[in-house]
Each structure stands twice: as C-alpha cells, then as structure tokens.
Amino acid sequence: MIIEFVGADAEAAGKSVAELTAGWGYPPVPAPAAEPVTDPDDKVVDPVAVTALVVSIPSAMLAVADIADRIQKRRRASDLIERAQQLRAQQAAARLVREDRSVDLATLTPDQLLDLIADENSAT
C-alpha cells in the first residue's frame, strides 16, 4: 500500500503515520523508484505444495483465522483513518495511491479501506 502525504505539513504527517504503523510492526519503507522486472518463467507458488496445504487444514480453522485477521486489520484501518482525519484538521492530507486513482484516507470507512487494499492485492 502506498500512502502519499500532501499539504502544508506533509513531512510531519508522514512521521505521524509512520509512528502509528511502526507500532504494528510495519515500519515505513520508501517507495521504489522503478518497478523491478520479473521473469515470466519464475514460479511464484508450487501447485503441489498449495494443494497439500489446502487439504491438510480444516476449513473451519481457516474461517476462524480469516475472521480474526479481518478484525485486527479493521482496527488498524480505523486507527489509520482516524489519524488521517486528525492530519486533515492540521492542513495535511493522507491519500491511498492506486494505479488508477488516489483516495483521501480521511473520507473512507475501515471496511472501504480494507476492500480497496484487497482489490489492489487481487489485481497483482
């Protein structure tokens, strides 16, 4: 996820969000200058390993893990949106940058933010 800061105090806004995400174990990483070239012949996932994993884990455990993960992500999204709303009051904006558009984080709900991130991850 790429977050862009604009406004009078964009540097302080970036530090504020970086402090929040570092507490979650996600320190900020500068955006790369150019996308690396990937070899189309490289396998990303071994199909046999994925099949074995899916068969070995009961579906009920996966559902519980998904729900717990969604709850944790929703809390973090809520914290991030709250911080973006505070920054907006200080004349700075935090935007989620996507390939097709950018969205002001302060105007989103936690579920909308998670859906945008999920859409971005499924597109890659």
Side-chain angles (χ1 to χ4, degrees), residues 50-74:
V50 171
T51 304
L53 181 64
V54 169
V55 170
S56 67
I57 299 176
S59 61
M61 289 182 67
L62 287 174
V64 170
D66 286 345
I67 291 171
D69 186 51
R70 177 74 179 199
I71 290 169
Q72 182 181 21
K73 286 179 180 178
R74 193 172 192 283

Side-chain angles (χ1 to χ4, degrees), residues 38-113:
T38 57
D39 186 8
D41 296 331
D42 286 346
K43 288 186 180 178
V44 177
V45 177
D46 181 16
V48 175
V50 171
T51 304
L53 181 64
V54 169
V55 170
S56 67
I57 299 176
S59 61
M61 289 182 67
L62 287 174
V64 170
D66 286 345
I67 291 171
D69 186 51
R70 177 74 179 199
I71 290 169
Q72 182 181 21
K73 286 179 180 178
R74 193 172 192 283
R75 285 183 189 144
R76 289 178 177 176
S78 179
D79 291 345
L80 186 60
I81 291 168
E82 183 179 325
R83 184 65 53 99
Q85 290 169 345
Q86 291 170 356
L87 293 172
R88 180 192 251 177
Q90 299 170 0
Q91 304 300 321
R95 295 182 184 159
L96 176 65
V97 178
R98 298 178 43 119
E99 289 184 13
D100 55 343
R101 61 190 164 126
S102 66
V103 181
D104 187 2
L105 284 175
T107 62
L108 299 175
T109 66
D111 290 322
Q112 289 173 330
L113 177 57

